[in-house]
Amino acid sequence: MIIRETCVAIWDALHAAVMAQPHKEQWKEIADVFQQTCQFPNCAGAIDGNHIRIKKPVRSGSQYYNYKKYFSFVLFAMCDANYSFRYIDVGSYGSRSDSAVFAHSEFGKMLQDKTLDLPEHTALPGTTSSAMPFVFVGDEAFALGENLMRPYSSRGLSLARRVFNYRLTRARRVVECAFGILTNKWRFLHTPIHLQLETAISAVKAACVLHNFVRERDGYNFDDSLTHSLQSHRPSVVRGHRQGAAVREQFTAYFMSPHGALPWQLEAI
């Protein structure tokens, strides 16, 4: 009871202070840091989902039994380039895919409904071409959209598309590093959580807001963030739409242009 009440109190006390939904100017600030550190312009965040190991919840059947053959619930997160969580969704069935968790999350619905208060479309740095939307970056588990970029399929890629995948991965890996910092700081995430489901969810939520609190106070050790033990979801086959494909092609062309290319990108792929 003490653990449950303490975790709830931590979430209630810190959530609004360290994980409030960004407004338009804050989205711009987040994108500026992504451009400075990851060289991916107009990027408002990186998204990913991970399994949190748990004991089998009572009378849950196979809902929490994932494809890796253990019980878990999903921690879905969107983070900024400073490795802080800007949104989390905790507790979805371990049997669900990332795309399903994202689609049913409040964040996914707000992105779909265009109610996230993202900034107006902005031209990419150094260009005067048509304005581009602000986007979130994810892996192959997510559907391509106007505001959501995912890698190209890995089969028979052109040089430009391989460069795009490399540039997207540079930005997307920040959420994996954020998970690494989280698990290395809060070690109970390294092993199955032996608490009732509701208490386990509260503990993970508390750890996430404490992660942001500590990040703001103490900073981080980058070397400790390169690996994490949370289990990534298995990519699922999801389709995008034409508008998202057009935006991705524009980013692809930009990353091969004099204004958007990195000196080392061809060597890196």
Side-chain angles (χ1 to χ4, degrees), residues 6-26:
T6 300
C7 289
V8 171
I10 290 171
W11 172 262
D12 290 343
L14 292 180
H15 176 244
V18 302
M19 204 183 289
Q21 180 181 325
H23 53 69
K24 190 169 297 185
E25 292 304 316
Q26 290 175 323

Side-chain angles (χ1 to χ4, degrees), residues 27-45 81 120-127 131-137 146-147 149 163-164 167-168 170-171 247 250-257 259-262 265:
W27 286 123
K28 291 180 180 178
E29 293 172 2
I30 292 172
D32 287 342
V33 179
F34 266 104
Q35 171 63 9
Q36 294 167 10
T37 59
C38 304
Q39 292 77 50
F40 200 109
N42 289 26
C43 181
E120 293 79 10
H121 292 197
T122 304
L124 299 178
T127 70
M132 293 281 285
F134 283 76
V135 300
F136 298 91
V137 294
E146 180 184 10
N147 299 109
M149 294 290 100
V163 167
F164 173 86
R167 298 288 292 271
L168 182 139
R170 281 174 52 82
V247 172
Q250 287 180 276
F251 273 113
T252 301
Y254 176 74
F255 292 149
M256 295 298 290
S257 72
H259 296 294
L262 297 177
Q265 65 186 24

Side-chain angles (χ1 to χ4, degrees), residues 14 21 91 113 127 136 145 152 174 178 182-183 190 213-214 217 235-236:
L14 292 180
Q21 180 181 325
D113 298 338
T127 70
F136 298 91
Y152 288 101
V174 301
L182 178 74
T183 54
H190 280 294
F213 179 79
V214 173
R217 188 191 67 178
S236 56

